[in-house]
Structure formats: C-alpha cells, structure tokens
C-alpha cells in the first residue's frame, strides 16, 4: 500500500489547515514525510479566479492574488514544522486544475488528506467540484477532516497529558457481501499505528420476504439471521486478527442501514474507515450511498479506501 508519503491539499481555508495538521500527525504515526500541495489555476486575460475560493479578481489584482497563492502553502508548512520539528515536510505549488493536480498526486501517495467545513452542509473541498471527483477517482485512500479537528479530539478524555492519552477506537464499516482486503488492512494498520482498538461495524437488512418492518419478523428467525451475520463477520476478521494480534477487535453487527450505525459509532472514534467501489458512471463520479452519508454526518475524520 505504501507509496512513501502523506499528502495534504491546502487552499488557505481553515478546514484545509486542519487537514494539514491531521496529515502531519498521520505522517508521524507512519514514519513518513509530509508533502503539502497547493493547486491553483492560472488566470485568463481580463478575468481571473482566486484558487478554490470562487472570488473573481480584476487584472490589476493579479499580483496580490499571486502573492496570496504563494503564501498559502508556505505558511501552512511553517506551522506544521513549528508543531512537529522532527517531521520531514516538503511543499509544492502546482498550476493547473485542482482535481487533476490532486489526482496526479495520489499516484505517489499513501494517503491524501482533504478538508471539510463540517457537519450537515459540506463546503470547501466537499463542494463537489473538487473533492467529489478526487474521492471518487483517487488511487490511494483519501481522508476527509472537518474544520476545527484537533489532536485531543482523537484521544480518550482524562487528566493525563494529551500526548500520552490513548486513542479512541478506529471504526471500520464492513460490507460482508464483498469484503475487501485493502479496506480491512487499512483499518487494522491505522488501529495498530495508534495503539487503538478496532471496532468493526456491519449493518444488515432483513430480507424482503419478511417485509420492511424488522419487528414483524418472527423472533426465532430474527435471532437466527443475527447469529449468521455475526458468525460471518467473525469468519472474515479471523485471519486479520492473526496478522495484527496487537489490535483489540470489537465486532458490532446490527439490523438496519450501515450509514446510521457508522454515524453513531463515529461519535467516539478517532477515525472512521469506509470503502468505495471502483465504478464507471456516465452521470459523473459516485462514491456510494453509505460513504456519501457518513461524509455528510460524521464528526470524526473519514478515510475512504478504494476497492473492487
């Protein structure tokens, strides 16, 4: 999986700064360098666009906007280096369409980190024009971090120093109909790097033959189906427990939509890991309904991992 670097995409917004700081902590956990990328489009004669902001600028403002664009990645890098003096940090500013620049960057990245304005109405990278195509087509896992995300949000509450506090659980959403090695490995590796427990969440639906109301299912049938799903989850995870014996695995199997279970589980998680199947759609990029839902309603950072 490793391509040798963690990449943070920045655009001058508070959410991208939070993403860069999260990416720095992730790079330290993985003992990898951090590469900060700032993509901005060149200006056409007589009319220009400030990078990512959508703000129009007149030709006379070109110098000011160019200065602002050059300052963005430099200031983020200085802040990261101040917080983590031992971290290897590089900066790259690329002229070009942001989606194309970021997708090209994923070819050499282990993880790409983007920012989000937060719950309910996602903006910034998650406005769709940039983040959605990147998440839908990136060759490496993409982590989305909300504005205001702090290191202490990822740790167990307590009176001790935050640096020594235990990480909250890593949560993995797993579809047992098509379990994916890349997705499971990413989640186990993330938990192992943090010294955190891994909570694996599987939501399953009552077969249509029983109707749409789970309460209408005969209790005996309901219990039997639940036991079968739980047993299948245990079977899928068994070899991974052997590969990562240091990870404490918690299995959570429940009736109902996976998105609802994952959003609830993410309330006390340091990271939520979900999958994205490789799709080719004529109507544009797609990331799947569960992934789309958790990106809109989850407070914890969300890692989206591509799989077949």
């Amino acid at each position: 999986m490793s391509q040798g670097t963690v990449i943070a995409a920045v655009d001058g917004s508070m959410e991208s700064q939070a993403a860069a700081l999260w990416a720095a902590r992730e790079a330290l956990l993985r003992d990898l360098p951090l590469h900060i990328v700032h993509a901005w489009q060149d200006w056409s004669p007589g009319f220009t666009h400030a990078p990512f902001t959508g703000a129009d600028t007149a030709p006379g403002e070109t110098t000011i906007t160019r200065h602002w664009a050059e300052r963005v990645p430099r200031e983020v890098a200085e802040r990261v280096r101040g917080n983590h003096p031992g971290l290897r940090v590089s900066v790259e500013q690329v002229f070009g369409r942001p989606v194309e620049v970021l997708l090209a960057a994923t070819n050499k990245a282990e993880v790409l980190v983007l920012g989000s304005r937060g719950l309910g109405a996602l903006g910034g990278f998650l406005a769709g024009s940039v983040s959605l195509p990147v998440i839908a087509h990136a060759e490496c896992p993409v982590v989305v971090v909300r504005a205001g995300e702090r290191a202490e949000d990822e740790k167990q509450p307590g009176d001790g120093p935050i640096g020594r506090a235990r990480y909250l659980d890593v949560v993995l959403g797993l579809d047992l109909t098509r379990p994916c090695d890349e997705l499971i490995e990413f989640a186990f590796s993330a938990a192992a790097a943090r010294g955190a427990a891994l909570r694996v969440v599987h939501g399953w639906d009552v077969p249509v033959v029983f109707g749409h109301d789970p309460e209408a299912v005969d209790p005996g049938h309901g219990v039997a189906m639940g036991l079968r799903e739980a047993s299948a989850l245990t079977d899928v995870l068994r070899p991974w427990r052997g590969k990562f014996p240091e990870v404490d695995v918690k299995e959570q199997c429940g009736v109902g939509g996976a998105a609802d279970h994952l959003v609830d589980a993410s309330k006390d998680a340091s990271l939520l890991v979900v999958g994205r199947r490789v799709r080719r759609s004529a109507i544009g990029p797609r990331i799947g309904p569960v992934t789309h839902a958790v990106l809109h309603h989850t407070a914890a950072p969300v890692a989206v991992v591509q799989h077949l």
Side-chain angles (χ1 to χ4, degrees), residues 18-307:
L21 293 174
W22 189 95
R25 299 193 296 273
E26 185 69 10
L28 286 171
L29 285 171
R30 295 171 177 265
D31 192 24
L32 292 173
L34 172 66
H35 188 57
I36 297 173
V37 175
H38 180 220
W40 59 308
Q41 298 185 56
D42 204 355
W43 300 289
S44 58
F47 188 75
T48 64
H49 296 278
F52 290 109
T53 64
D56 299 329
T57 59
E61 297 174 286
T62 297
T63 302
I64 297 175
T65 307
R66 185 182 297 273
H67 174 72
W68 176 87
E70 293 172 348
R71 191 183 69 200
V72 166
R74 183 177 67 249
E75 291 184 347
V76 172
E78 289 173 355
R79 183 177 179 186
V80 167
R81 291 189 182 106
N83 289 352
H84 308 288
L87 180 63
R88 293 164 290 168
V89 182
S90 58
V91 175
E92 182 180 14
Q93 189 171 49
V94 184
F95 286 87
R97 297 180 182 275
V99 171
E100 295 173 1
V101 169
L102 296 180
L103 286 177
T106 66
N107 294 329
K108 56 185 177 181
E110 180 168 340
V111 178
L112 172 66
V113 187
L114 308 177
S116 157
R117 287 182 185 168
L119 304 179
L122 295 180
F125 283 102
L126 288 185
S129 62
V130 173
S131 64
L132 186 58
V134 171
I135 294 171
H137 298 296
E139 295 187 9
C140 71
V142 179
V143 177
V144 181
V145 179
R146 64 181 172 83
E149 170 70 20
R150 305 170 302 166
E152 49 264 42
D153 296 333
E154 304 168 13
K155 302 292 186 69
Q156 299 276 5
D159 298 328
I162 186 63
R164 298 180 182 177
R166 182 180 175 85
Y167 275 91
L168 296 167
D169 293 353
V170 172
V171 173
L172 166 63
L174 191 58
D175 180 1
L176 294 183
T177 61
R178 295 178 66 180
C180 167
D181 287 350
E182 290 84 356
L183 175 64
I184 299 172
E185 182 180 14
F186 183 94
F188 268 89
S189 296
R194 289 162 173 76
L198 176 62
R199 197 177 343 152
V200 184
V201 177
H202 168 58
W204 58 280
D205 293 319
V206 175
V208 177
V209 67
F210 291 105
H212 299 286
D213 183 7
E215 298 298 327
V217 179
D218 179 88
H221 288 299
V223 170
M225 286 187 289
L227 290 174
R228 284 197 297 269
E229 295 291 331
S231 178
L233 178 59
T234 297
D235 290 342
V236 168
L237 296 177
R238 184 174 293 110
W240 295 98
R241 290 177 185 268
K243 293 180 181 180
F244 293 87
E246 73 277 22
V247 175
D248 177 22
V249 181
K250 307 173 183 177
E251 300 177 15
Q252 180 179 328
C253 193
V255 179
D260 291 336
H261 288 299
L262 290 171
V263 170
D264 186 62
S266 72
K267 294 175 183 177
D268 55 351
S270 59
L271 179 67
L272 173 60
V273 183
V274 292
R276 171 188 67 79
R277 290 177 182 163
V278 177
R279 288 186 172 94
R280 297 292 181 265
S281 173
I283 61 174
R286 296 184 61 192
I287 58 175
V290 173
T291 297
H292 192 274
V294 299
L295 284 171
H296 278 76
H297 300 291
T298 299
V302 179
V304 183
V305 181
Q306 170 186 279
H307 64 90

Side-chain angles (χ1 to χ4, degrees), residues 11-19 79 146-148:
D11 66 355
S13 64
M14 294 299 295
E15 49 268 27
S16 77
Q17 291 186 42
R79 183 177 179 186
R146 64 181 172 83

